[in-house]
Amino acid sequence: MIVYATHSGGRYLPIKDSLREQPEGKRGVYVNLTNQCNCACTFCLRHMKEMAEESSLWLKTEPAVEQVKAELDNLPWEYVSEVVFCGFGEPTMRLDAVVELLKYIKAVHPEVKTRLNTNGLSDLAHGRSTAGDFAGGILDTISISLNASNAQRYLELTRAKYGLKSFDAMLDFAQNCKEYISNVVMTVVEKVENQQEIDKCQKICDERGLKLRVRIYEDS
Ligand code: SF4
């Protein structure tokens, strides 16, 4: 499934089923571009959720940009409040595709909000500073997984393939994003970390002028 909506109970539904279950009101629509990831988080839902084939976020093949545009073209846009790049994998593994699709969405539906949920490691993935790729108002919100208050704990949780330097690279990326994206939000998952650790995460965000959101475990 490439484009989907989330529903209670942590379910992912094709848009037609989402509309059947909830015929009224706008909703976020999620885009699942890749199953690749440069982390192997201990809490990753990819390894915990069993899904029926028709609602699975496991992709048989990664969709081409034109294929995603065709799915977006078919959306009932009057029911769409926000388009979120998320899914079962790290969207910035396909950074060029994300940027092209963000530009497309803002060109055709400028009133619709856009969000990227990311592990924040795209600078390391691409070997350059990538925050500027989101310039031009194409992305309204970026939600970056902070996960932990220090590099060692971060690596234990995420098992990021770049090692200990991943934590600082993620924070630098977040700070750079503030120049290009109006709403930069750092997240930490409730239950994965205790309150003391969450307080330390808050301090890091305060020092860097970043917002922190504590996510419930099943959140998207
Ligand atoms: S970054 Fe996201 S997709 Fe990748 S392993 Fe961690 S939780 Fe899973």
Side-chain angles (χ1 to χ4, degrees), residues 200-214:
K200 288 184 193 165
C201 291
Q202 183 67 61
K203 187 161 179 283
I204 288 178
C205 290
D206 290 346
E207 284 165 1
R208 293 184 177 241
L210 296 162
K211 269 182 272 185
L212 179 69
R213 183 167 77 95
V214 180

Side-chain angles (χ1 to χ4, degrees), residues 32 34-37 44 46 57 86-93 117:
N32 177 33
T34 184
N35 292 147
Q36 298 177 64
C37 190
C44 183
R46 299 189 301 171
L57 298 182
C86 183
F88 259 27
E90 170 49 43
T92 63
M93 299 300 286
N117 291 354

Side-chain angles (χ1 to χ4, degrees), residues 95 122-124 126-133 172-173 176-177 180:
L95 181 61
S122 62
D123 288 1
L124 292 178
H126 301 283
R128 62 180 177 84
S129 179
T130 55
D133 290 27
D172 289 345
F173 170 75
N176 292 339
C177 281
Y180 306 102

